[in-house]
Amino acid sequence: MGRGRQKAKHTKIARELKYDTYNVNYSALEKELGHPGDDQYVDKWADQYADDDEELETA
């Protein structure tokens, strides 16, 4: 009994996704996906783990 209403809702959502035009903020996307300005790799987890070289020297 409720299948017709459910199908209509899904159809409405599908049409909105298909035909709606979204405004994309390309400058914000570029900042989010871009590299740091100094072009060096920054490992944000480096402080939590010891380097492999240091472990080999102490062993």
Side-chain angles (χ1 to χ4, degrees), residues 34-43:
H35 296 286
D38 56 0
D39 292 334
Q40 290 182 345
Y41 176 74
V42 177
D43 188 4

Side-chain angles (χ1 to χ4, degrees), residues 11-47:
T11 303
K12 178 183 173 188
I13 292 171
R15 283 192 185 127
E16 287 177 1
L17 291 173
K18 184 175 181 182
Y19 295 113
D20 195 13
T21 57
Y22 297 99
N23 296 328
V24 179
N25 187 351
Y26 290 107
S27 61
L29 182 63
E30 184 179 357
K31 288 178 185 176
E32 184 176 341
L33 297 177
H35 296 286
D38 56 0
D39 292 334
Q40 290 182 345
Y41 176 74
V42 177
D43 188 4
K44 63 182 180 180
W45 305 108
D47 297 345

